[in-house]
Structure formats: C-alpha cells, structure tokens
Amino acid sequence: MASEDIAKLAESLAKTKVGGGQLSFKGQSLKLNTAEDAEEVIKQIEEFDGLEALRLEGNTVGVEAAKVIAKALEKKSELKRCHWSDMFTGRLRSEIPPALISLGDALITAGAQLVELDLSDNAFGPDGVRGFEELLKSPACYTLQELKLNNCGMGIGGGKILAAALKECHRKSSAQGKPLALKIFVAGRNRLENDGATALAEAFGIIGTLEEVHMPQNGINHPGITALAQAFAINPLLKVINLNDNTFTEKGAVAMAETLKALRQIEVINFGDCLVRSKGAVAIADAVKEGLHKLKELNLSFCEIKRDAALTVAEAVEDKAELEKLDLNGNCLGEEGCEQLQEILEGFNMAAVLGSLSDDEGEEEEDEEEEEDEDEDEEEEEEQQQLKERGPEEQESLTPKKIIDSQDSAPVPSPPVDVATFLAFPSPEKLLRLGPKCSMLIAQQTDTSDVEKVVTALLRISSVFKDEAPVKTAVHETTDALMRKAFTSATFNSDAFITSLLIHMGLLKSEEKIKAAPSLYGILMTLNHMVQQDYFPKSLAPVLSAFVTKPNRALDSCSFARHMLLQTLHQL
C-alpha cells in the first residue's frame, strides 16, 4: 500500500467512533480490497475489549479483506449487533457471498449471540442470501431480534432461501428450549413477489413473535398479501405493518382487515400506494373502528379510494386517542370530499392528524369507474387461468394452520399452452410449458413491422422474468429471438420502438391515455440483457440511459434492477 494511501486510511480511522461497546467505521468510504488494506481496521477490532456492536456501513469490503476481518472477529464472543449495510459498493455480485460466508463463519466460531443483523443496501441478489444462510441457521442467530435486509435484490429465490433458514433457526433453537423470538423484520425493495412473500409468511407463522414488519415495494399481489395477513394473525405482538407500494386490491385488503381485527397492539399501518380501493378501505375502516385503540398512524394514500369510502375511514378514527397521523392523500375525493373529510375530523377535534390532501386526484368519472371494474375482471380472469395450471395444494389458501402444517398433494395435469394464451395471460409456467421452441414460436407469431405489437410482446415476455435459471434463460432466449428479428428488419423503426417502450414503462408522457406497466423490474432486467447483444442498436443506449436516470417512483421501487441496467449502459 502506498504511503499516501496509508495516510488517508489513518485519517479516516481517526474518525472512528468508540463507545458503549460499539466500534464504528460508518461512512468512512474505506476501500478494503486486500489483507494489507484492512490492517488498521483489524487492529482496532482486536484491541477493542467487550465489542458488542460493529458498524461497517458506507465502506466497501472485498473477499480478501473480509477474510482477515473475520479472523479478528473469531475472538469477539460478546458481539451482538452487526451494522453491515451498504458494505459492498462497487463489488461484483460474485464477490459478496464468499465475503459474507467468511464473516458469518467467524461469528459462529466466536460463539457470538446476535441481537441485530443489518445487511441492507447490499445488492447481492438471490446468491447473496446463500452467503449468510448458514449464519442464520446457527446458534449465533438463536437470539436474533432484528433482521434488516432492505434493498438487497433478493428476488423470489432469495426470499425462499431466507424463509427456509428462518424456519430452520426456529426449529433448532426451539429444540434447545429457547425458540427464535424475532421482533423486527425489514425487507423492502426486494422483488419478493407472491411466492417470496408466501414463503416468508410460513416462517412468520411459525415464529409468532414479530412486532414490526416492513416489506414495502416488493411486487406482492393479493395472494401474497393474503398469506402475510394470515401469518400476521399468529403474531399478536405486532405494532407496525408497512406494506407500502404493493398491490392489495379488494381481496388482499379484506384479508388484511380481518387480521387487523385480531391484533391489539397495532400502532402503525402503512398501506399507502397499495391499491386497496374503496371496498378495501371500508373493510379496513371497520377493523379500525372495532379496535386498534393504540393506533398512531394510518396511511391509505394513493389507493384509488373514492369519497364515501374515505369519509368512512375518517369516521372510524373517532375514538383513537393516540392517533397522530391519517394520510388519505392522492385518492379520489374531489374538492367537496376533501372539505367533508376535514369537517368530520374537526368535529372529532382531530383536524391536526390529517395529512396533506394536495395530490388528491379529484372525483372519478363514470368511465373511470367502469375501467376499475374491468381491471378487477381482468385480475379475476388471470387468476383463474393461473389456478388451472396449479395443483390442489397451491390452489388452497394458506390458513394459519396450513402455514404451519402444509401437506403435500399430487399436482393435476397441466392444460396445453399456446403463444396467444401466454401473451394474453403471461406467467413463468406458461412460458416454460411452450417448450424449447418458445422463442422461435413467439418471434414467428409477432408482427415485427408493427412497433406497438413488438413493444407489447416484449413487455409481456419480460413481465415473467425471475432470477431462477430456467425462467431467466427462457425470457432471455425469447427476447433475443423477437428483438433480433425486429431490429434486423429493414422496415422496423428503432426510434419509434424506444419511444413507445418508454411510454409503456411510464417514463415518457403521451397524448394518448396509455396504461403504464405495473412493475418495471422484469423489463429493466430484460433490457440489461438486451443492450449487451449485438442486435441492439448502440445509438439507443444514451436515450435509454437518460430516461432511466431521471427521478421516477416506479424506477425507485426497482432500484436494484435500475442500478444493474445503468451500470451496463455505462460500460457500453
């Protein structure tokens, strides 16, 4: 290491905070690649008697540095809190699992008994969960109370691995007479979707001690929400439920409302941007009215709630003496509805708890109401299609008992699938069932002279993207066949294609009313593959980069996929 580098490291370490059993290197931007780079950090750790908390956030730790830091931690049996978020900036995803394995093994060897593990903001993906899987199953985590994995890109696969590890930890710790008693679980922005959420719901149902659950922006629809609701019902100590920016619809909202009736300690409900709609809001209002006397915050903003339902929610909080905030912004009340809402709360002497209504969408017109009904019908039809493909076990809802005691059931034969069926109601299972010729079939049956048809087909294909190998491969191969055919056609307008795609992604405004894709994760991950292929016009890369860089709520909810695409575009 050069002398100036040593001087810089020494200066950073001079800022190291020590106190209360905590050693902090937080936010020092240390670049620890080699064992030599980590020498000063190791020295601080080794010389710290009674180390209970280690903060490594805001630095970047490589595989070799992690190994030597781990060696120093093998003697720190009193370590209880690992604040290791944002610890792998600029690292390849392949570097993170071995680094985590080294650190986890050290904690196991030391005989540590962790209370808190924070690995948030580390974009390690599903493979990264393997890096701390053994740690979670070990005696070091039998005492774990707080697990924070926000914005890690775990995906469905990572969610399933995590759920299995938590169940194993509970089983082993219970055998020793001290069951895992997890209190706080954080896993926002991880693209867990229904399957990942359902797997975690099974774990939550077994654990039963949760006090806070934060799972915003995970692409969870009503089947996953329902599974979570049933698991929450078996966690009577729950105080905080944050499922912001998932998609409840009426079914999920009603299921969650039933659970809320059984919970007595709830203080914070954050269902903002969850599309609970009016019927769902009324169901939640009923639950609030019946109990929840400790409620401090209720967020139902941006949920397509109409005036009468919003007023029902307001009336439900009349006797909630501890309520500090009611957020109904971004719904469909209209000017008169907003005034009525304020009047109701003023009548309860609770005007101060009402949040801003500045983003109210106004009262819906009749055609918009009809469109909402059509959306519900489409969801129902798609659900029925998906149920036809599943075995009896998957079709049954996960009741609290089934979450704990699921039983195997033989799957029924799957009906045949054609390209039209897949494009109408896309799912990973349908794509795989099209067989090895799926890429050729879809490319053949898509009119690539029509830009809109190509964009629609691409969005349908990418919507089923998963990090699991068979599905990922099928999506990539099908995309390649379709887009190679399109881009190599003399009549295909590439500029019109990118413009239409950005409009459908909700990144570019259009004069026509076009419904944006509900989730951008799949298309972002598919574009990350597309832009690296020889058929993709490099002239489109700057345009794509410019729009993906702009601030956007839909993009913010897919920060991992967005980061991956921007990184690839930058390297082109």
Side-chain angles (χ1 to χ4, degrees):
M1 185 185 284
S3 58
E4 58 267 26
D5 291 333
I6 294 173
K8 185 178 179 181
L9 180 60
E11 184 182 346
S12 293
L13 290 171
K15 302 173 186 175
T16 300
K17 296 178 182 177
V18 178
Q22 174 175 283
L23 177 61
S24 176
F25 300 95
K26 182 179 179 180
Q28 295 182 20
S29 301
L30 301 175
K31 295 181 180 179
L32 308 178
N33 298 317
T34 65
E36 186 182 4
D37 294 340
E39 281 180 357
E40 289 294 327
V41 173
I42 293 164
K43 183 181 177 184
Q44 294 267 6
I45 293 172
E46 289 178 339
E47 292 179 355
F48 196 111
D49 292 329
L51 180 63
E52 293 184 6
L54 178 61
R55 307 196 76 105
L56 292 172
E57 314 101 302
N59 300 290
T60 178
V61 181
V63 176
E64 293 305 313
K67 285 181 181 178
V68 291
I69 291 172
K71 196 70 180 172
L73 290 175
E74 286 181 358
K75 298 177 183 177
K76 301 298 174 181
S77 61
E78 296 178 26
L79 188 62
K80 292 180 174 62
R81 299 184 182 273
C82 297
H83 302 279
W84 294 351
S85 63
D86 190 20
M87 198 173 76
F88 299 106
T89 304
R91 299 289 169 188
L92 297 173
R93 276 177 64 174
S94 59
E95 293 182 83
I96 302 176
L100 288 173
I101 289 170
S102 295
L103 294 167
D105 287 348
L107 298 177
I108 296 169
T109 301
Q113 293 186 310
L114 295 185
V115 172
E116 179 179 0
L117 177 61
D118 186 354
L119 292 170
S120 299
D121 300 315
N122 290 310
F124 46 60
D127 294 338
V129 185
R130 295 285 187 198
F132 60 94
E133 178 185 13
E134 291 307 314
L135 173 63
L136 280 181
K137 295 177 181 178
S138 76
C141 285
Y142 290 178
T143 50
L144 195 64
Q145 294 180 16
E146 302 180 29
L147 180 58
K148 300 174 182 178
L149 299 165
N150 201 56
N151 193 31
C152 292
M154 289 190 291
I156 295 170
K160 289 181 176 180
I161 296 167
L162 175 62
L166 287 172
K167 288 190 286 186
E168 183 69 1
C169 180
H170 187 273
R171 185 186 69 78
K172 288 182 175 179
S173 57
S174 297
Q176 293 195 5
K178 295 182 179 179
L180 170 68
L182 191 66
K183 294 181 179 179
I184 298 174
F185 180 83
V186 181
R189 296 187 176 187
N190 271 293
R191 296 307 310 172
L192 295 168
E193 301 183 21
N194 290 333
D195 290 349
T198 300
L200 285 166
E202 293 181 20
F204 296 162
I206 292 169
I207 293 168
T209 56
L210 289 167
E211 295 180 11
E212 296 185 22
V213 175
H214 302 263
M215 295 174 66
Q217 298 182 359
N218 269 299
I220 308 169
N221 299 325
H222 73 78
I225 296 298
T226 299
L228 287 172
Q230 292 164 345
F232 292 165
I234 321 171
N235 284 265
L237 302 178
L238 265 174
K239 296 178 181 178
V240 178
I241 302 177
N242 176 7
L243 294 173
N244 189 286
D245 200 5
N246 289 290
T247 307
F248 282 42
T249 63
E250 181 188 342
K251 290 181 180 178
V254 168
M256 195 60 70
E258 285 303 308
T259 285
L260 291 175
K261 291 177 182 178
L263 299 174
R264 296 286 177 265
Q265 306 301 320
I266 290 290
E267 296 177 3
V268 177
I269 298 171
N270 186 345
F271 298 160
D273 207 6
C274 281
L275 202 67
V276 304
R277 292 184 173 146
S278 295
K279 291 179 181 177
V282 170
I284 292 169
D286 288 344
V288 171
K289 192 170 186 177
E290 286 185 22
L292 306 187
H293 297 293
K294 296 184 179 181
L295 188 64
K296 294 180 179 179
E297 180 178 336
L298 175 59
N299 184 348
L300 293 174
S301 60
F302 299 94
C303 280
E304 294 190 7
I305 301 170
K306 297 172 191 172
R307 179 178 62 179
D308 290 348
L311 299 181
T312 301
V313 172
E315 289 166 353
V317 303
E318 179 179 3
D319 63 345
K320 309 307 166 194
E322 296 187 32
L323 190 68
E324 298 170 2
K325 184 177 180 181
L326 172 62
D327 192 346
L328 288 166
N329 197 18
N331 286 300
C332 311
L333 281 68
E335 187 176 344
E336 186 179 342
C338 289
E339 291 175 359
Q340 289 176 323
L341 185 66
Q342 290 165 335
E343 287 172 6
I344 288 172
L345 291 169
E346 284 172 2
F348 300 155
N349 198 26
M350 297 174 72
V353 306
L354 183 63
S356 169
L357 296 172
S358 59
D359 292 320
D360 186 73
E361 296 285 344
E363 287 194 83
E364 284 191 345
E365 297 178 5
E366 188 175 338
D367 61 335
E368 289 176 320
E369 292 180 19
E370 289 174 1
E371 186 177 312
E372 179 181 309
D373 291 337
E374 287 173 8
D375 289 344
E376 293 280 8
D377 291 341
E378 284 177 14
E379 287 167 11
E380 186 71 30
E381 191 174 346
E382 183 169 356
E383 182 185 347
Q384 292 302 322
Q385 261 316 109
Q386 291 171 349
L387 283 173
K388 288 178 183 177
E389 301 165 12
R390 298 179 177 180
E393 178 186 349
E394 291 180 278
Q395 290 184 33
E396 292 180 9
S397 63
L398 281 168
T399 61
K401 186 175 186 300
K402 285 170 187 167
I403 287 173
I404 299 172
D405 300 311
S406 60
Q407 296 179 346
D408 292 333
S409 180
V412 296
S414 299
V417 172
D418 56 21
V419 171
T421 302
F422 166 73
L423 291 176
F425 301 104
S427 72
E429 295 78 13
K430 289 196 192 82
L431 183 61
L432 294 176
R433 293 214 326 268
L434 281 171
K437 294 183 179 180
C438 65
S439 57
M440 180 188 70
L441 291 170
I442 292 176
Q444 284 178 345
Q445 296 184 39
T446 302
D447 180 4
T448 52
S449 65
D450 187 328
V451 165
E452 286 300 313
K453 288 181 180 177
V454 173
V455 169
T456 300
L458 176 62
L459 288 169
R460 295 294 174 90
I461 295 163
S462 63
S463 70
V464 307
F465 179 90
K466 287 186 179 182
D467 281 310
E468 297 167 6
V471 178
K472 182 195 289 189
T473 301
V475 169
H476 286 173
E477 290 178 352
T478 307
T479 299
D480 289 342
L482 173 67
M483 298 315 302
R484 189 181 298 279
K485 178 186 174 185
F487 283 127
T488 54
S489 169
T491 59
F492 189 70
N493 189 328
S494 299
D495 292 335
F497 165 78
I498 200 69
T499 300
S500 177
L501 180 61
L502 291 169
I503 289 171
H504 282 275
M505 291 173 69
L507 306 183
L508 183 62
K509 289 185 179 179
S510 170
E511 292 181 1
E512 299 177 20
K513 188 176 180 182
I514 293 176
K515 193 172 181 180
S519 169
L520 298 185
Y521 178 77
I523 186 61
L524 290 172
M525 295 299 284
T526 303
L527 283 169
N528 185 53
H529 168 80
M530 266 178 61
V531 299
Q532 300 177 63
Q533 308 310 308
D534 57 5
Y535 60 73
F536 185 82
K538 296 300 181 277
S539 60
L540 299 183
V543 179
L544 190 56
S545 180
F547 280 91
V548 175
T549 305
K550 286 183 178 180
N552 182 281
R553 283 178 65 197
L555 288 172
D556 290 342
S557 67
C558 307
S559 55
F560 172 75
R562 180 191 206 176
H563 172 75
M564 293 283 287
L565 176 56
L566 288 174
Q567 194 173 43
T568 301
L569 288 168
H570 182 69
Q571 294 169 355
L572 291 178

